[in-house]
Amino acid sequence: MTQHLPILAIISLFIGAFIVSLIKEKNTTLRNTVVLIVTFASLIFTLMMYKPIIEEGNVLTYWMGNWEPVQNWAIGIGLEVDQLSLFFGLFISLSIVLSAMYSFKYIENETGKDKYYVLFLMMSASVMGFIFTGDLFNMYVMIEIMTFASVALTAFRNNRPEAVEAGFKYIAIGSIGSSLILLATVILYAQFHTLNLAQLAGEMYNNYTVASIFALALMIVGYAVKVFAVPTHFVAPDAYMAAPSSISMLFSGIVNKAAVYGILRIIYVVYQSMNLPTMQFLLIFWGTVTMFVGVTMALAQHDFKRLLAFHSISQIGYVITGIGLTTALGITGGLYHALNHTLFKGLLFLCAGAVFYATGTTDLDKLGGLAKRMPQTAFIFLIGAFSISGIPPFNGFVSKWIIYQATYEAGYAPVTIVALLVSVMTLASFIKVAQSAFFGQLPKEFKNVEEVPLSMRVPMWIMAILCVIGGIVPNIVTKYLVTPAANAVMNASRYVEAMMGKEFASKFYNNLGSAPVIDYKLAGYWQPISWLILFGVLLLAFTLVAVLGGFNPKHFSYADEEDAKYDVFFSGESSEFSHVAGSDLFWGLKYQFRHYFDFMHNIHSGIVNDYALSVVFTAAVILLYVFTFVR
Amino acid sequence: MSKKEIKVKNYIIKTAADFFAPIGLILGIYVILHGHLSPGGGFQGGVLVASAAVLIYLGYGYEKATKTLNVNLLKKSESIAALMYSFFALLGIFYAANFCRNVFYNVGKPGDLFSSGTIFLMNFAVGYKVLTGIGFLILLMFGLLNNEEA
């Protein structure tokens, strides 16, 4: 039974997609039941793999149709699940379940729900397939299904012109990325006559050819397009903004993470190129630029979801920096941050969706004061905002702290400084969101908005609780999830040995079975319990002041309250509505850096030709870099 | 289908369509069914069958083609075919082998039509999926062409 779990986790979602396409659109109950059953089944199959893989440390291999390798030559398609795959698989299948639960109410009033769930399940299934496969061409097929399902879901609200436009941009840019990956796959197949990742890894160990280096550059750029690293990120804000929030959550939570997994698998396991300082520098530099540009663009946004999209880019920069360090601490930090990013960014997108569901807009200049009407959403949003800004005792702090330490230890002190700055700016922009969406004055058209239904709040609460857990018990999370995955990243020979057998692996690797033990200690001054107590005390004090009326200025009221016309005097300062809108905050910063922001606004032109050009430019630069420096 | 109802502009194309559509159908179905014995298989045969839809469109126009071929049925059939494939592939797991494993392969005489176990059925499911999927896509695209002309 155990060896069938990966294929069952993938195929249950695919079967769900095919069944849903047979159900009539009006039959909501049946469709929701099917979606819930298959997503839960996939989660359970993934959870069942935890014990054999992470706890006992096995690597699960599976040959489709029993086509096992003949004379050390892999002819069949294989699935291979090691700790790294399972680490990604666990939180990906969890976010699929949560997003499905959230969708039931969220898209209740939209048309085309049947197509939504077909595409939703197709995208989820392809990501699961991408994570669990051990075959290079399978990876390409899955990423292509993923891209096309994402494109269709981006354009789901096709009554809005910007959604259709974003879908078109996404398909153009995404196809360029996929084509690069396909070209690299073809080159590797022509060179080594195999598509199996493990066999490729063995053949390429210390044996680079010109063609394989060319393929490496194309692979990196192809997956960078999927991960939205900076010069290729332009399409991301448009797509995230136009898609429904439950899908934006999956874009940042699973589609992006799949691409991060792809980068890790290709450069660490297949190419084993990360012992080269030039490759490390490439990823660290790229990640640092990505995090900086993402957060500065986020500061200037006035749309809730667009702001979150830029933050998504910025946080992925942390992940890339972390995995580029190649030290045990760096990979641990990168992987931990990938997990945390899925949790808190999914949470924030769901909050944006809740705001949209309740008010019909995500424009921060129009929103305000929603905490009074939607207290739970506001509270959950604060947890998400604290997590992403790296405030103890939430999970973002832990992973960011590990990344600061790792960058400093590895001698990249400037990167540490940039990372700290980015974290501060993240906090600043979330203060802006909190202030202009949830606090401040409640505009009168939103006086009657209501809290979102329970089925939308439950996924948000689950993610919020996981965010807190990840921050309070980081040593448990690292011990039982992240460290095994980091070990798997650093031990490519074990991957090869599990898939192709000892005889094949010993041809290339001398020291089989000796995994580099990660000397991991949460160095620093991290005492989660005392931070939690401090946070609790502050929260108590805050609540006390709030209850006593300290934050409740009475001197602002609406000019046209019901009873205003019966007042004798109703004009004057007290009746003026002076809402501090989202764009008003940080105007000084925006003014001081106006040249930078002008430049950035100009290059985010919205013209798909420019975006495509930037991808091609990136490909050219990376090709030059890789051919010059990587040997 | 009485011949008076059909308005055609070009008798050469209509005659050619009448002549080639059955050949395309028969050849396509032959290729699907003999996928395990001869070159070709589900995908190739499915595309051949779907070419009949193109011929009907060329010979008789879009309206006749949509009347002859039920678009909704094609759409549903594609999902059913995908489910069929998943089911036959999962049979491998139920019979204590791996996913996609060919089971019952020693039934019948080698070289006969029914001699290859579930691989025959999987091949058929692929063919069914491709012929319905491509047929549906072709009708969809011709529908878009028609709208632009109008």
Side-chain angles (χ1 to χ4, degrees), chain A residues 3 44 124 127 184 194 211 240 311 375 469 500 506 535 609 624 627:
Chain A
Q3 82 269 26
I44 288 167
S124 315
V127 173
T194 181
Y240 284 42
H311 276 299
I469 290 176
M500 298 298 297
S506 57
F535 190 78
N609 302 24
L624 267 179
F627 268 113

Side-chain angles (χ1 to χ4, degrees), chain A residues 3-4 7-8 11 14-19 21-24 62-68 114-115, chain B residues 75-80 82-83 85-87 89-90 92-94 96-102 129:
Chain A
Q3 82 269 26
H4 296 307
I7 189 70
L8 288 175
I11 204 73
F14 270 122
I15 288 178
F18 303 139
I19 291 175
S21 66
L22 285 174
I23 298 172
K24 283 205 174 73
Y62 190 79
W63 296 98
M64 300 275 223
N66 295 71
W67 287 99
E68 279 165 14
D114 51 343
K115 299 178 186 70
Chain B
K75 210 172 105 185
K76 294 255 187 272
S77 302
E78 199 190 347
S79 306
I80 292 171
L83 283 174
Y85 181 84
S86 316
F87 173 74
L90 282 171
I93 294 184
F94 294 137
N98 278 6
F99 188 75
C100 277
R101 174 73 183 152
N102 188 14
K129 175 158 173 61

